[in-house]
Each structure stands twice: as structure tokens, then as C-alpha cells.
């Protein structure tokens, strides 16, 4: 029996979804399981990383002098502000697990010129692809109605790749936790996992094509991800111990998959069942 272990560098998670490009290029074809780990404030064999959709919205109006003859203009900034406020009102009817957040990237040029062009960028998140499609429709209606109210033209463009939610694999998670505990890891409770929310990752797309494990690991700091404090903590010598410990737990889990009788088939069955349930929600019969 020939065993193959592949180490894949997968850049561009934060912009564009590099792993999705790798899926399309066949990089994960023929693999039995895929592992990666993400630094955090705690150890968890699984966190509910959610599905995510990027959207860029452009409003086109008509420039005019804002003091002399504003009635000749079509204010694209008004459209952007209305869209932002529409989303704020929508939050009352959003599920607690939905997230919508964004920025106005271009709000005009000069205060004395009616803005003829504005641009917004938003991220939409939901626990499943089914929920994400519902949320996307509601959000796009907010953008369109702002254009209608102001007389602007609107262009709505989704990101090149949607990020899927990470599918759990209980068999892999169980073995990883056992190995982690042997190395001294303390894991958060199941209640914390079920009631918590995480970010989004293109590894979610990977878990739809091959069984995957995406644990989070403590790095010796309580700083929050995507802050200057966390950047400093991640680069410290102290964090290296925790990163290496996590790598060992992943390696031990890989050895279990290879050598423990029946484990790989359990992992595959978990994958089949979870994926079947997820796809049933997206495309009900």
C-alpha cells in the first residue's frame, strides 16, 4: 500500500478564496482527508464557520453644483446612505445567526458637488448556503430600493467565489480531541461550540468535496483575531509552542486515520451523511 501525504500552500483566503481555485484545479482530487488549523483564543476541534458572500454595489447619479442648482443633480451618496440605513432597518428581521457588515468605499469628491458615483462593499454571512441565499435576496432588495428612491442606476456584483460553511466531521473531531488532550490541550465545551459563531473560510468549500478537519487553537493570548494585539501575539516565541503542539495533534490524528481499523470508513460515512443533509437543504426534493 502506497501512502501519500500532501502539504498544500493555500494562499488568498482573505481575498478571493484560493482554496476554491485549488478545488477547481483538482488539487484535492484523490485525497481521503484534509487537515488545517486556525489560531484563536481557545482550543476547539470544530467551530461553526459560516457561509459568506461578498457584494460590491455601485451607484451612478449625476453631478451638479450642490449650492447653485442641486435640483439638477442625482445624488449617488444619498443612495449609498439609504442603502446603509435600509440594511440597518433590516437587522430587526434578521436571524440572530445572520451577519451583514460593510463600508462605503467611495462617497463622492467635493462637498460642493452632488456626488455622481458611490461604491459600497459588504460581506453577508449565514450558517448555511440555504440561509445565505435568502439573506442575499433581502440585502439586494435594500440596495435596489435605494436606487429607485434616488433615481440612481445601481450595479450589484457578487464576489468571484462564495465561501461555504465548514461541514463538521464528528469522527475526525473525536480523534483529534483525544490526541490533543494527550498533549495537554484543554477544549471548550460543546455548549460553547453550539452557541458560538465564528468567521468564514474557503476551507468550508473543501469540506464539501473531501472530509476535512478545521480545529482552532489557543496561542497563549486572549487578544482577539484581526487586531494589532493578536498580530503581535501570533508572532511571539510563546505562540510557537502552541502552534507546534497543534501540528503534533494533527499528525497524530492523521496516523490514526491511516492505522486504526475502520476509522477512515467512519470518517467517510460522516462526510456522506452531513453533506447529504446540507445539500438536501439547498436543493430540496
Amino acid at each position: 500500500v502506497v501512502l501519500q501525504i500532501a502539504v498544500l500552500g493555500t494562499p488568498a483566503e482573505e481575498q478571493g478564496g484560493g482554496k476554491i481555485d485549488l478545488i477547481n484545479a483538482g488539487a484535492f482530487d484523490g485525497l481521503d482527508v484534509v487537515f488545517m488549523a486556525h489560531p484563536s483564543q481557545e482550543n476547539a476541534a470544530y467551530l461553526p464557520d459560516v457561509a459568506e458572500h461578498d457584494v460590491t454595489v455601485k451607484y451612478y447619479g449625476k453631478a451638479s453644483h450642490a449650492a447653485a442648482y442641486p435640483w439638477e443633480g442625482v445624488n449617488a451618496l444619498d443612495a449609498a446612505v439609504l442603502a446603509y440605513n435600509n440594511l440597518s432597518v433590516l437587522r430587526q428581521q434578521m436571524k440572530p445567526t445572520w451577519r451583514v457588515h460593510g463600508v462605503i468605499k467611495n462617497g463622492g469628491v467635493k462637498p460642493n458637488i452632488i456626488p455622481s458615483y458611490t461604491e459600497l462593499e459588504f460581506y453577508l454571512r449565514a450558517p448555511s448556503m440555504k440561509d445565505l441565499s435568502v439573506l442575499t435576496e433581502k440585502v439586494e432588495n435594500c440596495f435596489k430600493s435605494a436606487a429607485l428612491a434616488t433615481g440612481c442606476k445601481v450595479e450589484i456584483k457578487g464576489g468571484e467565489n462564495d465561501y461555504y460553511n465548514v461541514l463538521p466531521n464528528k469522527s475526525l473531531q473525536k480523534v483529534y480531541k483525544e490526541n490533543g488532550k494527550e498533549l495537554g490541550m484543554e477544549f471548550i465545551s460543546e455548549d460553547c461550540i453550539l452557541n458560538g459563531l465564528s468567521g468564514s473560510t474557503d476551507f468550508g468549500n473543501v469540506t464539501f468535496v473531501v472530509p476535512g478537519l478545521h480545529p482552532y487553537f489557543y496561542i497563549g493570548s486572549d487578544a482577539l483575531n484581526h487586531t494589532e494585539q493578536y498580530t503581535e501575539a501570533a508572532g511571539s516565541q510563546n505562540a510557537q509552542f502552541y502552534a507546534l503542539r497543534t501540528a503534533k495533534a494533527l499528525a497524530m490524528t492523521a496516523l490514526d486515520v491511516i492505522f486504526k481499523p475502520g476509522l477512515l470508513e467512519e470518517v467517510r460515512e460522516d462526510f456522506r451523511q452531513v453533506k447529504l443533509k446540507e445539500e438536501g437543504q439547498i436543493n430540496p426534493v
Side-chain angles (χ1 to χ4, degrees):
V1 179
V2 177
L3 301 176
Q4 184 178 30
I5 298 173
V7 179
L8 293 174
T10 56
E13 175 188 82
E14 298 292 343
Q15 190 67 43
K19 296 183 190 67
I20 302 168
D21 294 334
L22 287 172
I23 291 171
N24 295 333
F28 298 98
D29 293 353
L31 298 183
D32 292 303
V33 292
V34 178
F35 298 158
M36 72 165 284
H38 195 292
S40 183
Q41 295 78 46
E42 65 276 305
N43 291 305
Y46 167 79
L47 286 178
D49 286 288
V50 296
E52 189 267 346
H53 174 72
D54 297 359
V55 61
T56 298
V57 183
K58 299 178 181 181
Y59 290 107
Y60 299 93
K62 179 184 176 184
S64 183
H65 196 287
Y69 28 84
W71 52 86
E72 294 293 335
V74 178
N75 197 319
L77 180 57
D78 283 350
V81 171
L82 279 178
Y84 198 98
N85 288 333
N86 286 345
L87 293 174
S88 295
V89 173
L90 176 66
R91 294 182 200 282
Q92 293 184 62
Q93 275 67 54
M94 280 171 46
K95 293 182 180 180
T97 51
W98 292 359
R99 295 289 184 271
V100 175
H101 43 93
V103 295
I104 298 176
K105 295 182 68 175
N106 187 320
V109 180
K110 296 280 289 183
N112 63 334
I113 302 173
I114 298 292
S116 62
Y117 172 78
T118 54
E119 181 178 341
L120 304 91
E121 184 175 5
F122 272 80
Y123 291 174
L124 322 180
R125 305 182 197 256
S128 67
M129 293 302 295
K130 179 184 177 182
D131 262 16
L132 185 61
S133 65
V134 174
L135 176 60
T136 298
E137 182 179 2
K138 292 178 180 292
V139 168
E140 288 186 352
N141 285 337
C142 289
F143 294 139
K144 293 173 183 176
S145 62
L148 181 64
T150 57
C152 291
K153 294 180 180 179
V154 61
E155 178 184 308
I156 303 172
K157 184 177 180 181
E160 185 175 347
N161 295 309
D162 285 345
Y163 290 5
Y164 294 2
N165 48 298
V166 173
L167 298 182
N169 192 290
K170 291 185 177 180
S171 295
L172 285 177
Q173 291 160 207
K174 178 176 180 291
V175 176
Y176 175 79
K177 286 181 70 174
E178 291 171 354
N179 290 322
K181 288 176 180 178
E182 286 188 22
L183 295 170
M185 290 184 183
E186 296 181 0
F187 290 90
I188 60 174
S189 67
E190 289 298 318
D191 286 342
C192 291
I193 293 173
L194 293 173
N195 296 324
L197 284 173
S198 188
S200 305
T201 170
D202 53 4
F203 191 81
N205 301 63
V206 177
T207 64
F208 274 74
V209 298
V210 61
L213 179 68
H214 185 269
Y216 282 80
F217 65 97
Y218 176 68
I219 64 167
S221 171
D222 294 328
L224 299 177
N225 291 57
H226 292 235
T227 64
E228 292 180 2
Q229 294 81 6
Y230 201 83
T231 300
E232 183 178 349
S236 69
Q237 187 61 39
N238 188 41
Q240 304 313 305
F241 164 79
Y242 298 101
L244 287 172
R245 184 173 67 171
T246 301
K248 291 177 183 177
L250 288 174
M252 292 163 67
T253 304
L255 290 172
D256 285 333
V257 171
I258 294 169
F259 293 111
K260 277 191 174 181
L263 178 56
L264 180 55
E265 187 50 45
E266 290 177 15
V267 169
R268 288 170 172 165
E269 182 59 25
D270 283 351
F271 171 70
R272 283 191 289 265
Q273 293 298 327
V274 172
K275 186 179 177 184
L276 187 64
K277 179 181 177 181
E278 188 75 20
E279 290 179 341
Q281 291 178 349
I282 299 173
N283 302 305
V285 176

